Amino acid sequence: MIRTVVLCIACGTTADANSFCASLIDQQATLALPDGTEGTCGTSLDLSGARAHNCHWPFTYRAPEATEAFDAVLKATAACLGVQPVADQGVNHPDSYDLRTFHTDTAQVAVSIKDKGALQQTYVFLRISTP
């Protein structure tokens, strides 16, 4: 079953928080940002057989809205999982990149923001990996 979830934990209700948390766990959701913009989501498998649910949202290159969306997804994910993310090491790349990873007993949740200069777009990504 596919559900739409609004990532508005800070300004929303307990029902919003519960829906977001359920979506992280069941990985069947099409996630939406606080402004209602739905992400493009899908499921993938890696070579080890681990399953991942991936969503992304495109923005105009380095738009402030992209940073706001990244922060909202981070905050909602931390509130749901009850853990703080670990920041990734910096990369030597001309485009900007920031990755935060949440580790739980049953999954790894990664939230990132990436500038794609050649495309003149900035993307926010959410990846939920389970063994």
Coordinates of all heavy atoms in Angstrom, one line a residue, residues 4-67:
T4 N 0.7 8.8 1.4 CA 1.4 10.1 1.3 C 1.6 10.5 2.7 O 0.7 10.5 3.5 CB 0.6 11.1 0.5 OG1 0.4 10.6 -0.8 CG2 1.2 12.4 0.5
V5 N 2.8 11.0 3.1 CA 3.1 11.4 4.4 C 3.7 12.8 4.3 O 4.6 13.1 3.5 CB 4.1 10.5 5.1 CG1 4.5 11.0 6.4 CG2 3.5 9.1 5.1
V6 N 3.3 13.7 5.1 CA 3.9 15.1 5.1 C 4.9 15.1 6.3 O 4.6 14.8 7.4 CB 2.8 16.1 5.4 CG1 3.4 17.5 5.5 CG2 1.7 16.1 4.2
L7 N 6.1 15.6 5.9 CA 7.2 15.7 6.9 C 7.1 17.0 7.6 O 7.7 18.0 7.2 CB 8.5 15.6 6.2 CG 8.9 14.3 5.5 CD1 10.2 14.4 4.8 CD2 8.9 13.2 6.5
C8 N 6.2 17.1 8.6 CA 6.0 18.3 9.3 C 5.9 18.0 10.8 O 5.0 18.4 11.4 CB 4.7 19.0 8.8 SG 4.6 20.7 9.2
I9 N 6.9 17.3 11.3 CA 6.9 16.9 12.7 C 6.9 18.1 13.6 O 6.2 18.2 14.6 CB 8.1 16.0 13.0 CG1 8.1 14.8 12.1 CG2 8.2 15.7 14.4 CD1 7.0 13.9 12.2
A10 N 7.7 19.1 13.3 CA 7.8 20.3 14.1 C 6.5 21.1 14.2 O 6.2 21.7 15.3 CB 9.0 21.2 13.7
C11 N 5.8 21.2 13.1 CA 4.6 22.0 13.1 C 3.3 21.1 13.1 O 2.2 21.7 13.1 CB 4.6 23.0 12.0 SG 4.6 22.1 10.4
G12 N 3.5 19.8 13.0 CA 2.3 19.0 12.8 C 1.8 18.4 14.1 O 2.1 18.8 15.2
T13 N 1.0 17.3 13.9 CA 0.4 16.7 15.1 C 1.1 15.3 15.3 O 1.9 14.9 14.6 CB -1.1 16.3 14.7 OG1 -1.1 15.4 13.6 CG2 -1.9 17.6 14.3
T14 N 0.7 14.7 16.4 CA 1.2 13.4 16.8 C 0.9 12.4 15.6 O 1.7 11.5 15.3 CB 0.7 12.9 18.1 OG1 1.0 13.9 19.1 CG2 1.2 11.6 18.5
A15 N -0.3 12.6 15.0 CA -0.7 11.7 13.9 C 0.3 11.8 12.8 O 0.7 10.8 12.1 CB -2.1 12.0 13.4
D16 N 0.8 13.0 12.4 CA 1.8 13.2 11.4 C 3.1 12.5 11.7 O 3.6 11.8 10.9 CB 2.1 14.7 11.2 CG 0.9 15.5 10.6 OD1 0.1 14.9 9.9 OD2 0.9 16.7 10.9
A17 N 3.5 12.6 13.0 CA 4.7 12.0 13.4 C 4.6 10.4 13.4 O 5.5 9.8 12.9 CB 5.1 12.4 14.9
N18 N 3.4 9.9 13.8 CA 3.2 8.5 13.8 C 3.2 8.0 12.3 O 3.7 6.9 12.0 CB 1.9 8.1 14.5 CG 2.0 8.3 16.0 OD1 3.1 8.4 16.5 ND2 0.9 8.5 16.6
S19 N 2.6 8.7 11.4 CA 2.5 8.3 10.0 C 3.9 8.3 9.4 O 4.2 7.4 8.7 CB 1.6 9.2 9.2 OG 0.3 9.1 9.6
F20 N 4.7 9.3 9.7 CA 6.0 9.4 9.2 C 6.8 8.2 9.7 O 7.5 7.5 8.9 CB 6.7 10.7 9.5 CG 8.1 10.7 9.0 CD1 8.4 10.9 7.6 CD2 9.2 10.6 9.9 CE1 9.7 10.9 7.2 CE2 10.5 10.6 9.4 CZ 10.7 10.8 8.0
C21 N 6.8 7.9 11.0 CA 7.5 6.8 11.6 C 7.1 5.5 10.9 O 7.9 4.6 10.6 CB 7.3 6.8 13.1 SG 8.1 8.2 13.9
A22 N 5.8 5.3 10.8 CA 5.3 4.1 10.2 C 5.8 3.9 8.7 O 6.2 2.8 8.3 CB 3.8 4.0 10.2
S23 N 5.9 5.0 8.0 CA 6.4 5.0 6.7 C 7.9 4.6 6.6 O 8.3 3.9 5.7 CB 6.2 6.3 6.0 OG 4.8 6.6 5.9
L24 N 8.6 5.1 7.6 CA 10.0 4.7 7.6 C 10.2 3.2 7.9 O 11.0 2.6 7.3 CB 10.8 5.5 8.7 CG 11.2 6.9 8.5 CD1 11.9 7.5 9.7 CD2 12.1 7.0 7.3
I25 N 9.3 2.7 8.7 CA 9.4 1.3 9.1 C 9.0 0.4 7.9 O 9.6 -0.6 7.6 CB 8.6 1.0 10.4 CG1 9.4 1.7 11.5 CG2 8.5 -0.5 10.6 CD1 8.5 1.8 12.8
D26 N 7.8 0.7 7.3 CA 7.3 -0.2 6.3 C 7.8 0.1 4.9 O 7.7 -0.7 4.0 CB 5.7 -0.2 6.3 CG 5.1 1.0 5.8 OD1 5.7 1.8 5.1 OD2 3.9 1.2 6.1
Q27 N 8.5 1.2 4.7 CA 9.1 1.6 3.4 C 8.2 1.5 2.2 O 8.7 1.2 1.1 CB 10.4 0.7 3.2 CG 11.4 0.8 4.3 CD 12.5 -0.1 4.2 OE1 12.9 -0.5 3.1 NE2 13.1 -0.6 5.3
Q28 N 6.9 1.7 2.4 CA 6.0 1.6 1.3 C 5.4 3.0 1.0 O 4.4 3.1 0.3 CB 4.8 0.7 1.7 CG 5.3 -0.7 2.0 CD 5.8 -1.4 0.7 OE1 5.2 -1.3 -0.3 NE2 7.0 -2.0 0.9
A29 N 6.0 4.1 1.5 CA 5.4 5.4 1.3 C 6.0 6.2 0.2 O 7.1 6.1 -0.2 CB 5.6 6.2 2.6
T30 N 5.2 7.1 -0.3 CA 5.6 8.2 -1.1 C 5.7 9.4 -0.2 O 4.6 9.8 0.3 CB 4.6 8.5 -2.3 OG1 4.6 7.3 -3.1 CG2 5.1 9.7 -3.1
L31 N 6.8 9.8 0.1 CA 7.0 10.9 1.1 C 6.8 12.3 0.5 O 7.2 12.5 -0.6 CB 8.4 10.8 1.8 CG 8.6 9.5 2.5 CD1 10.0 9.4 3.0 CD2 7.6 9.3 3.7
A32 N 6.3 13.2 1.3 CA 6.1 14.6 0.8 C 6.8 15.5 1.8 O 6.9 15.3 3.0 CB 4.6 14.9 0.8
L33 N 7.3 16.6 1.3 CA 7.9 17.7 2.1 C 6.8 18.5 2.7 O 5.6 18.4 2.4 CB 8.8 18.5 1.2 CG 10.0 17.8 0.5 CD1 10.6 18.7 -0.5 CD2 10.9 17.3 1.6
P34 N 7.2 19.4 3.7 CA 6.2 20.2 4.4 C 5.3 21.0 3.4 O 4.2 21.3 3.7 CB 7.0 21.1 5.3 CG 8.2 20.3 5.6 CD 8.5 19.5 4.3
D35 N 5.9 21.4 2.3 CA 5.1 22.2 1.3 C 4.2 21.3 0.5 O 3.5 21.8 -0.4 CB 6.0 23.1 0.5 CG 6.8 22.3 -0.5 OD1 6.8 21.1 -0.6 OD2 7.6 23.0 -1.2
G36 N 4.2 20.0 0.7 CA 3.4 19.1 0.0 C 4.0 18.5 -1.3 O 3.4 17.6 -1.9
T37 N 5.2 18.9 -1.6 CA 5.9 18.3 -2.7 C 6.3 16.8 -2.5 O 7.0 16.5 -1.6 CB 7.2 19.1 -3.0 OG1 6.9 20.5 -3.2 CG2 7.9 18.6 -4.3
E38 N 5.7 16.0 -3.3 CA 5.9 14.6 -3.2 C 7.3 14.2 -3.8 O 7.7 14.7 -4.9 CB 4.8 13.7 -3.9 CG 3.6 13.7 -3.1 CD 2.6 12.7 -3.6 OE1 2.9 11.9 -4.4 OE2 1.4 12.8 -3.1
G39 N 8.0 13.3 -3.2 CA 9.2 12.8 -3.7 C 9.0 11.7 -4.7 O 8.0 11.1 -4.8
T40 N 10.0 11.5 -5.5 CA 10.0 10.3 -6.4 C 10.7 9.2 -5.6 O 11.9 9.3 -5.2 CB 10.8 10.6 -7.7 OG1 10.2 11.8 -8.3 CG2 10.9 9.5 -8.6
C41 N 10.0 8.1 -5.4 CA 10.5 7.0 -4.6 C 10.5 5.7 -5.3 O 9.8 5.5 -6.3 CB 9.6 6.9 -3.3 SG 9.5 8.3 -2.3
G42 N 11.4 4.8 -4.9 CA 11.5 3.5 -5.4 C 12.3 2.6 -4.5 O 12.9 3.0 -3.5
T43 N 12.3 1.3 -4.9 CA 13.0 0.3 -4.1 C 14.1 -0.3 -4.9 O 14.0 -0.4 -6.2 CB 12.0 -0.8 -3.7 OG1 11.0 -0.2 -2.9 CG2 12.7 -1.9 -2.8
S44 N 15.3 -0.5 -4.3 CA 16.4 -1.1 -5.0 C 17.0 -2.2 -4.1 O 16.8 -2.3 -2.9 CB 17.4 -0.1 -5.3 OG 17.9 0.5 -4.1
L45 N 17.8 -3.1 -4.8 CA 18.5 -4.1 -4.1 C 20.0 -3.9 -4.4 O 20.4 -3.6 -5.5 CB 18.1 -5.5 -4.6 CG 16.7 -6.0 -4.3 CD1 16.4 -7.3 -5.0 CD2 16.5 -6.1 -2.8
D46 N 20.9 -4.2 -3.4 CA 22.3 -4.1 -3.7 C 22.8 -5.5 -3.9 O 22.1 -6.5 -3.8 CB 23.1 -3.3 -2.6 CG 23.1 -4.0 -1.3 OD1 22.8 -5.2 -1.2 OD2 23.5 -3.4 -0.3
L47 N 24.1 -5.6 -4.2 CA 24.7 -6.9 -4.5 C 24.6 -7.9 -3.3 O 24.5 -9.1 -3.6 CB 26.1 -6.8 -4.9 CG 26.3 -6.0 -6.3 CD1 27.8 -5.8 -6.5 CD2 25.7 -6.8 -7.4
S48 N 24.6 -7.4 -2.1 CA 24.5 -8.3 -1.0 C 23.0 -8.8 -0.7 O 22.8 -9.7 0.2 CB 25.0 -7.7 0.3 OG 24.1 -6.6 0.7
G49 N 22.1 -8.3 -1.4 CA 20.7 -8.6 -1.2 C 19.9 -7.7 -0.3 O 18.7 -7.9 -0.1
A50 N 20.6 -6.7 0.2 CA 19.9 -5.7 1.1 C 19.0 -4.9 0.3 O 19.2 -4.6 -0.9 CB 20.9 -4.8 1.8
R51 N 17.8 -4.6 0.9 CA 16.8 -3.8 0.2 C 16.9 -2.4 0.7 O 17.2 -2.1 1.8 CB 15.4 -4.4 0.6 CG 14.3 -3.8 -0.2 CD 13.0 -4.5 0.2 NE 12.3 -3.5 1.0 CZ 11.1 -3.7 1.5 NH1 10.5 -4.9 1.4 NH2 10.5 -2.8 2.1
A52 N 16.6 -1.4 -0.2 CA 16.6 0.0 0.1 C 15.4 0.7 -0.5 O 15.0 0.4 -1.6 CB 17.9 0.6 -0.3
H53 N 14.9 1.6 0.3 CA 13.8 2.4 -0.2 C 14.4 3.8 -0.4 O 15.0 4.3 0.5 CB 12.6 2.5 0.8 CG 11.4 3.2 0.3 ND1 10.6 2.7 -0.7 CD2 10.9 4.4 0.7 CE1 9.6 3.5 -0.9 NE2 9.8 4.6 -0.1
N54 N 14.3 4.4 -1.6 CA 14.9 5.6 -1.9 C 13.9 6.7 -2.4 O 13.0 6.3 -3.2 CB 15.9 5.4 -3.1 CG 16.9 4.3 -2.8 OD1 17.8 4.5 -2.1 ND2 16.6 3.1 -3.4
C55 N 14.1 7.9 -1.9 CA 13.2 9.0 -2.3 C 14.1 10.2 -2.6 O 15.2 10.4 -2.0 CB 12.2 9.4 -1.3 SG 11.0 8.1 -0.8
H56 N 13.7 11.0 -3.6 CA 14.5 12.2 -3.8 C 13.6 13.3 -4.3 O 12.5 13.1 -4.8 CB 15.6 12.0 -4.9 CG 15.1 11.8 -6.3 ND1 14.7 10.6 -6.8 CD2 14.9 12.7 -7.3 CE1 14.3 10.7 -8.0 NE2 14.4 12.0 -8.4
W57 N 14.1 14.6 -4.0 CA 13.3 15.8 -4.4 C 14.3 16.7 -5.1 O 15.3 17.1 -4.5 CB 12.8 16.5 -3.1 CG 11.8 15.7 -2.4 CD1 10.4 15.7 -2.5 CD2 12.0 14.7 -1.3 NE1 9.8 14.9 -1.6 CE2 10.8 14.2 -0.9 CE3 13.2 14.2 -0.8 CZ2 10.7 13.2 0.1 CZ3 13.1 13.2 0.2 CH2 11.8 12.8 0.6
P58 N 14.0 17.1 -6.3 CA 14.9 18.1 -7.0 C 14.5 19.6 -6.7 O 13.3 19.8 -6.5 CB 14.6 17.8 -8.5 CG 13.2 17.3 -8.5 CD 13.0 16.6 -7.2
F59 N 15.5 20.4 -6.7 CA 15.3 21.9 -6.4 C 16.2 22.6 -7.4 O 17.1 22.1 -8.0 CB 15.7 22.3 -5.0 CG 14.8 21.7 -3.9 CD1 15.1 20.4 -3.4 CD2 13.7 22.3 -3.5 CE1 14.3 19.9 -2.4 CE2 12.9 21.8 -2.5 CZ 13.2 20.5 -2.0
T60 N 15.9 23.9 -7.6 CA 16.8 24.8 -8.3 C 18.1 24.8 -7.6 O 18.2 24.7 -6.4 CB 16.2 26.2 -8.4 OG1 14.9 26.1 -9.0 CG2 17.1 27.1 -9.2
Y61 N 19.2 24.8 -8.4 CA 20.5 24.8 -7.9 C 20.8 25.7 -6.7 O 20.5 26.9 -6.8 CB 21.5 25.1 -9.0 CG 23.0 24.9 -8.7 CD1 23.5 23.7 -8.5 CD2 23.8 26.0 -8.7 CE1 24.8 23.5 -8.2 CE2 25.2 25.8 -8.4 CZ 25.7 24.6 -8.2 OH 27.0 24.4 -7.9
R62 N 21.1 25.2 -5.6 CA 21.5 25.8 -4.4 C 20.3 26.7 -3.8 O 20.6 27.7 -3.1 CB 22.7 26.6 -4.5 CG 23.9 25.7 -4.7 CD 25.2 26.4 -4.5 NE 26.3 25.3 -4.6 CZ 27.6 25.6 -4.8 NH1 28.0 26.8 -4.8 NH2 28.4 24.6 -4.9
A63 N 19.1 26.4 -4.1 CA 17.9 27.1 -3.6 C 17.8 26.9 -2.1 O 18.1 25.8 -1.6 CB 16.7 26.6 -4.3
P64 N 17.5 28.0 -1.4 CA 17.3 27.9 0.1 C 16.3 26.8 0.4 O 16.4 26.2 1.5 CB 16.9 29.3 0.5 CG 17.2 30.2 -0.6 CD 17.3 29.4 -1.9
E65 N 15.3 26.6 -0.4 CA 14.2 25.6 -0.1 C 14.8 24.2 0.0 O 14.3 23.4 0.7 CB 13.1 25.7 -1.2 CG 12.4 26.9 -1.3 CD 13.0 28.0 -2.1 OE1 14.1 27.8 -2.7 OE2 12.5 29.2 -2.1
A66 N 15.9 24.0 -0.8 CA 16.5 22.6 -0.7 C 17.1 22.4 0.7 O 17.0 21.4 1.3 CB 17.6 22.5 -1.8
T67 N 17.8 23.4 1.2 CA 18.4 23.3 2.6 C 17.3 23.2 3.6 O 17.4 22.4 4.6 CB 19.3 24.6 2.9 OG1 20.3 24.6 1.9 CG2 19.9 24.5 4.2

